[in-house]
Amino acid sequence: MNRTGRWPLPGEPRVWLAASGGAIAALLVTVVVLATTRGPAGRTIGLSSGELPTGGAAPVTGPLVDGSTGMDTPDAATPSMPTVAPVEGGVVCPPATVVVSNGESLAIALADAEAGASILMADGLYEGTFVAERPGTADKPIFLCGGSGAVIDGGSVKGGYGMHLDGASYWRLVGFTVRNAQKGVMADKVTFAVIQGLTVERIGDEGIHLRNFSTDNLVIGNTVRRTGERRDKFGEGLYVGSAQSNWCTVSGCLPDRSDRNELRENIISETTAEAVDIKEGTTGGKLIGNAFDGAKLSGSHNDSWVDVKGNKWLIAENIGRNAKQDGFQTHEIVKGWGTGNVFSANTAQVNGPGYGFAFTPVNGNKVSCDNKVTGAAKGFANVKCG
């Protein structure tokens, strides 16, 4: 990851760095508090800004579905058409096969979607909660695209999923806003989907959740903020898998093997629970190049940006600030889980009483010496780097 920065100035905060020989050294140097970083693909990640890049792909057009009749009308009837900006390393929306303008027409388009369809949401308000159940294919995914001015509004933080992919594999959700629902975006039994460039905000519980054997999905370039407005203990930003206590409800009493998911270059702030919660039962995922702000963390257990209870995850090149306790944590909730995770090249501006990295237990987890930690009262980590 390429980081912007400068040499330290006098009076700036102490930095905990790992010495090259593996010992943890408190270096009496100071650094600028990083407000932005660049992910592997070069997209700027800013903790103070939730805006996606401007420009890029030209507007896509297509027939309009009239919500009252279900009949196609000419393009001239299309309301303000958004430009969907591309995300480096993500997908680009193809020309639309159908354009929708309100909640009723969106529900019709989702129900009728066939492999290869491209649904464009015109700018406007889409009231209600929505579900997609018909899968695309590897060579013909289904696109649902819109600008940030296309807003799904669930009506209440006390119930409903703003957008639910229910067995709808090979979908691409791109660019629009989801707000005012109990859960923002939910994926159940979904594979090879892309959730990209969304703004998910004012949510009762978690923002974006992959669960129930949802595997090989990409969550990239999203802004998630103001979660936990119903119950602060459930206000995670990104959530992968299910807690053991929910396996019999969600995954047939089996570990929820929501494996090999990649969460990349997302901006997550104002969450009352962890920015990212990686549950026991999940394996082989990647958390790369994201930005977290934990200033709104609350409750006795919601005390870090990232909580890893799965196995063999790579957590790399992320930047966080303002943790209630530690920056990054691992836990063993179920025997055999919470092990083999690797933490590399992260920047942790903890501003809290704990560590940059806290492994409880250590359990085969590794923190490399290229991580950087500031403002952690207990220091770099509770283990030696290597």
Side-chain angles (χ1 to χ4, degrees), residues 116-139:
S118 180
I119 304 166
L120 177 64
M121 300 169 63
D123 283 351
L125 188 64
Y126 295 77
E127 294 181 294
T129 56
F130 299 89
V131 60
E133 299 177 292
R134 306 181 72 169
T137 65
D139 59 340

mmCIF file of all heavy atoms in Angstrom, residues 116-139:
data_model
loop_
_atom_site.group_PDB
_atom_site.id
_atom_site.type_symbol
_atom_site.label_atom_id
_atom_site.label_comp_id
_atom_site.label_asym_id
_atom_site.label_seq_id
_atom_site.Cartn_x
_atom_site.Cartn_y
_atom_site.Cartn_z
ATOM 1 N N GLY A 116 -27.872 -11.864 -17.071
ATOM 2 C CA GLY A 116 -27.447 -10.878 -18.052
ATOM 3 C C GLY A 116 -28.178 -9.557 -17.985
ATOM 4 O O GLY A 116 -27.802 -8.612 -18.679
ATOM 5 N N ALA A 117 -29.214 -9.453 -17.153
ATOM 6 C CA ALA A 117 -29.961 -8.198 -17.037
ATOM 7 C C ALA A 117 -29.099 -7.110 -16.394
ATOM 8 O O ALA A 117 -28.218 -7.386 -15.577
ATOM 9 C CB ALA A 117 -31.229 -8.410 -16.218
ATOM 10 N N SER A 118 -29.367 -5.862 -16.761
ATOM 11 C CA SER A 118 -28.716 -4.711 -16.143
ATOM 12 C C SER A 118 -29.795 -3.693 -15.793
ATOM 13 O O SER A 118 -30.369 -3.060 -16.680
ATOM 14 C CB SER A 118 -27.685 -4.097 -17.091
ATOM 15 O OG SER A 118 -27.058 -2.972 -16.483
ATOM 16 N N ILE A 119 -30.082 -3.560 -14.507
ATOM 17 C CA ILE A 119 -31.141 -2.679 -14.011
ATOM 18 C C ILE A 119 -30.505 -1.374 -13.557
ATOM 19 O O ILE A 119 -29.589 -1.375 -12.728
ATOM 20 C CB ILE A 119 -31.887 -3.326 -12.836
ATOM 21 C CG1 ILE A 119 -32.438 -4.697 -13.227
ATOM 22 C CG2 ILE A 119 -32.996 -2.417 -12.328
ATOM 23 C CD1 ILE A 119 -32.880 -5.541 -12.033
ATOM 24 N N LEU A 120 -30.974 -0.269 -14.086
ATOM 25 C CA LEU A 120 -30.473 1.039 -13.688
ATOM 26 C C LEU A 120 -31.520 1.764 -12.862
ATOM 27 O O LEU A 120 -32.659 1.918 -13.287
ATOM 28 C CB LEU A 120 -30.117 1.889 -14.912
ATOM 29 C CG LEU A 120 -29.652 3.320 -14.598
ATOM 30 C CD1 LEU A 120 -28.358 3.315 -13.812
ATOM 31 C CD2 LEU A 120 -29.499 4.127 -15.884
ATOM 32 N N MET A 121 -31.135 2.221 -11.665
ATOM 33 C CA MET A 121 -32.001 3.013 -10.807
ATOM 34 C C MET A 121 -31.765 4.497 -11.096
ATOM 35 O O MET A 121 -30.667 5.004 -10.878
ATOM 36 C CB MET A 121 -31.702 2.719 -9.334
ATOM 37 C CG MET A 121 -31.911 1.263 -8.933
ATOM 38 S SD MET A 121 -31.233 0.890 -7.273
ATOM 39 C CE MET A 121 -32.241 1.959 -6.230
ATOM 40 N N ALA A 122 -32.791 5.170 -11.615
ATOM 41 C CA ALA A 122 -32.713 6.614 -11.779
ATOM 42 C C ALA A 122 -32.645 7.272 -10.403
ATOM 43 O O ALA A 122 -33.088 6.702 -9.396
ATOM 44 C CB ALA A 122 -33.938 7.121 -12.537
ATOM 45 N N ASP A 123 -32.095 8.456 -10.324
ATOM 46 C CA ASP A 123 -32.055 9.185 -9.062
ATOM 47 C C ASP A 123 -33.470 9.371 -8.525
ATOM 48 O O ASP A 123 -34.404 9.677 -9.271
ATOM 49 C CB ASP A 123 -31.414 10.553 -9.253
ATOM 50 C CG ASP A 123 -29.897 10.473 -9.369
ATOM 51 O OD1 ASP A 123 -29.339 9.385 -9.142
ATOM 52 O OD2 ASP A 123 -29.289 11.510 -9.698
ATOM 53 N N GLY A 124 -33.632 9.176 -7.223
ATOM 54 C CA GLY A 124 -34.933 9.324 -6.595
ATOM 55 C C GLY A 124 -35.047 8.417 -5.390
ATOM 56 O O GLY A 124 -34.103 7.700 -5.019
ATOM 57 N N LEU A 125 -36.198 8.422 -4.765
ATOM 58 C CA LEU A 125 -36.445 7.664 -3.544
ATOM 59 C C LEU A 125 -37.165 6.362 -3.874
ATOM 60 O O LEU A 125 -38.187 6.358 -4.565
ATOM 61 C CB LEU A 125 -37.295 8.507 -2.578
ATOM 62 C CG LEU A 125 -37.482 7.945 -1.168
ATOM 63 C CD1 LEU A 125 -36.153 7.865 -0.437
ATOM 64 C CD2 LEU A 125 -38.463 8.809 -0.390
ATOM 65 N N TYR A 126 -36.649 5.250 -3.341
ATOM 66 C CA TYR A 126 -37.234 3.924 -3.520
ATOM 67 C C TYR A 126 -37.658 3.436 -2.133
ATOM 68 O O TYR A 126 -36.850 2.928 -1.358
ATOM 69 C CB TYR A 126 -36.208 2.971 -4.155
ATOM 70 C CG TYR A 126 -35.826 3.380 -5.559
ATOM 71 C CD1 TYR A 126 -34.933 4.437 -5.779
ATOM 72 C CD2 TYR A 126 -36.370 2.743 -6.668
ATOM 73 C CE1 TYR A 126 -34.596 4.838 -7.058
ATOM 74 C CE2 TYR A 126 -36.033 3.131 -7.961
ATOM 75 C CZ TYR A 126 -35.146 4.175 -8.151
ATOM 76 O OH TYR A 126 -34.811 4.570 -9.423
ATOM 77 N N GLU A 127 -38.928 3.646 -1.831
ATOM 78 C CA GLU A 127 -39.417 3.346 -0.490
ATOM 79 C C GLU A 127 -39.750 1.867 -0.365
ATOM 80 O O GLU A 127 -40.407 1.286 -1.234
ATOM 81 C CB GLU A 127 -40.647 4.193 -0.191
ATOM 82 C CG GLU A 127 -40.333 5.689 -0.119
ATOM 83 C CD GLU A 127 -41.567 6.511 0.195
ATOM 84 O OE1 GLU A 127 -42.477 6.556 -0.644
ATOM 85 O OE2 GLU A 127 -41.597 7.111 1.294
ATOM 86 N N GLY A 128 -39.295 1.264 0.741
ATOM 87 C CA GLY A 128 -39.568 -0.143 0.986
ATOM 88 C C GLY A 128 -38.286 -0.929 1.179
ATOM 89 O O GLY A 128 -37.175 -0.384 1.211
ATOM 90 N N THR A 129 -38.442 -2.236 1.357
ATOM 91 C CA THR A 129 -37.320 -3.160 1.433
ATOM 92 C C THR A 129 -37.419 -4.099 0.247
ATOM 93 O O THR A 129 -38.513 -4.468 -0.184
ATOM 94 C CB THR A 129 -37.330 -3.939 2.757
ATOM 95 O OG1 THR A 129 -38.581 -4.618 2.908
ATOM 96 C CG2 THR A 129 -37.134 -3.002 3.939
ATOM 97 N N PHE A 130 -36.252 -4.537 -0.269
ATOM 98 C CA PHE A 130 -36.235 -5.190 -1.565
ATOM 99 C C PHE A 130 -35.416 -6.477 -1.504
ATOM 100 O O PHE A 130 -34.438 -6.570 -0.754
ATOM 101 C CB PHE A 130 -35.673 -4.237 -2.620
ATOM 102 C CG PHE A 130 -36.503 -2.989 -2.770
ATOM 103 C CD1 PHE A 130 -36.243 -1.863 -1.985
ATOM 104 C CD2 PHE A 130 -37.574 -2.951 -3.647
ATOM 105 C CE1 PHE A 130 -37.020 -0.723 -2.095
ATOM 106 C CE2 PHE A 130 -38.363 -1.812 -3.762
ATOM 107 C CZ PHE A 130 -38.089 -0.697 -2.985
ATOM 108 N N VAL A 131 -35.824 -7.454 -2.327
ATOM 109 C CA VAL A 131 -35.150 -8.752 -2.337
ATOM 110 C C VAL A 131 -34.925 -9.195 -3.773
ATOM 111 O O VAL A 131 -35.780 -8.990 -4.639
ATOM 112 C CB VAL A 131 -35.962 -9.803 -1.550
ATOM 113 C CG1 VAL A 131 -37.348 -9.996 -2.143
ATOM 114 C CG2 VAL A 131 -35.214 -11.132 -1.477
ATOM 115 N N ALA A 132 -33.768 -9.792 -4.022
ATOM 116 C CA ALA A 132 -33.462 -10.441 -5.297
ATOM 117 C C ALA A 132 -33.232 -11.919 -5.015
ATOM 118 O O ALA A 132 -32.472 -12.269 -4.108
ATOM 119 C CB ALA A 132 -32.216 -9.824 -5.929
ATOM 120 N N GLU A 133 -33.889 -12.781 -5.772
ATOM 121 C CA GLU A 133 -33.809 -14.215 -5.536
ATOM 122 C C GLU A 133 -33.363 -15.012 -6.762
ATOM 123 O O GLU A 133 -33.065 -16.199 -6.641
ATOM 124 C CB GLU A 133 -35.171 -14.751 -5.076
ATOM 125 C CG GLU A 133 -35.657 -14.137 -3.777
ATOM 126 C CD GLU A 133 -37.036 -14.614 -3.370
ATOM 127 O OE1 GLU A 133 -38.011 -14.266 -4.078
ATOM 128 O OE2 GLU A 133 -37.129 -15.342 -2.364
ATOM 129 N N ARG A 134 -33.336 -14.393 -7.925
ATOM 130 C CA ARG A 134 -33.006 -15.110 -9.149
ATOM 131 C C ARG A 134 -31.526 -14.919 -9.449
ATOM 132 O O ARG A 134 -31.058 -13.789 -9.632
ATOM 133 C CB ARG A 134 -33.863 -14.615 -10.310
ATOM 134 C CG ARG A 134 -35.352 -14.687 -9.997
ATOM 135 C CD ARG A 134 -36.226 -14.224 -11.144
ATOM 136 N NE ARG A 134 -36.230 -15.194 -12.234
ATOM 137 C CZ ARG A 134 -37.078 -15.144 -13.270
ATOM 138 N NH1 ARG A 134 -37.976 -14.174 -13.332
ATOM 139 N NH2 ARG A 134 -37.021 -16.044 -14.218
ATOM 140 N N PRO A 135 -30.718 -15.981 -9.512
ATOM 141 C CA PRO A 135 -29.280 -15.837 -9.696
ATOM 142 C C PRO A 135 -28.903 -15.519 -11.143
ATOM 143 O O PRO A 135 -29.612 -15.876 -12.090
ATOM 144 C CB PRO A 135 -28.737 -17.206 -9.290
ATOM 145 C CG PRO A 135 -29.861 -18.151 -9.601
ATOM 146 C CD PRO A 135 -31.125 -17.391 -9.315
ATOM 147 N N GLY A 136 -27.771 -14.852 -11.277
ATOM 148 C CA GLY A 136 -27.144 -14.741 -12.573
ATOM 149 C C GLY A 136 -26.229 -15.935 -12.793
ATOM 150 O O GLY A 136 -26.319 -16.952 -12.103
ATOM 151 N N THR A 137 -25.332 -15.808 -13.747
ATOM 152 C CA THR A 137 -24.350 -16.853 -14.032
ATOM 153 C C THR A 137 -22.976 -16.221 -14.142
ATOM 154 O O THR A 137 -22.832 -14.992 -14.200
ATOM 155 C CB THR A 137 -24.679 -17.601 -15.333
ATOM 156 O OG1 THR A 137 -24.577 -16.681 -16.437
ATOM 157 C CG2 THR A 137 -26.076 -18.196 -15.284
ATOM 158 N N ALA A 138 -21.948 -17.048 -14.207
ATOM 159 C CA ALA A 138 -20.583 -16.527 -14.289
ATOM 160 C C ALA A 138 -20.381 -15.658 -15.508
ATOM 161 O O ALA A 138 -19.702 -14.615 -15.448
ATOM 162 C CB ALA A 138 -19.593 -17.688 -14.288
ATOM 163 N N ASP A 139 -20.943 -16.051 -16.656
ATOM 164 C CA ASP A 139 -20.763 -15.266 -17.874
ATOM 165 C C ASP A 139 -21.871 -14.242 -18.096
ATOM 166 O O ASP A 139 -21.744 -13.372 -18.955
ATOM 167 C CB ASP A 139 -20.645 -16.188 -19.093
ATOM 168 C CG ASP A 139 -21.855 -17.087 -19.293
ATOM 169 O OD1 ASP A 139 -22.616 -17.290 -18.327
ATOM 170 O OD2 ASP A 139 -22.042 -17.583 -20.413
#
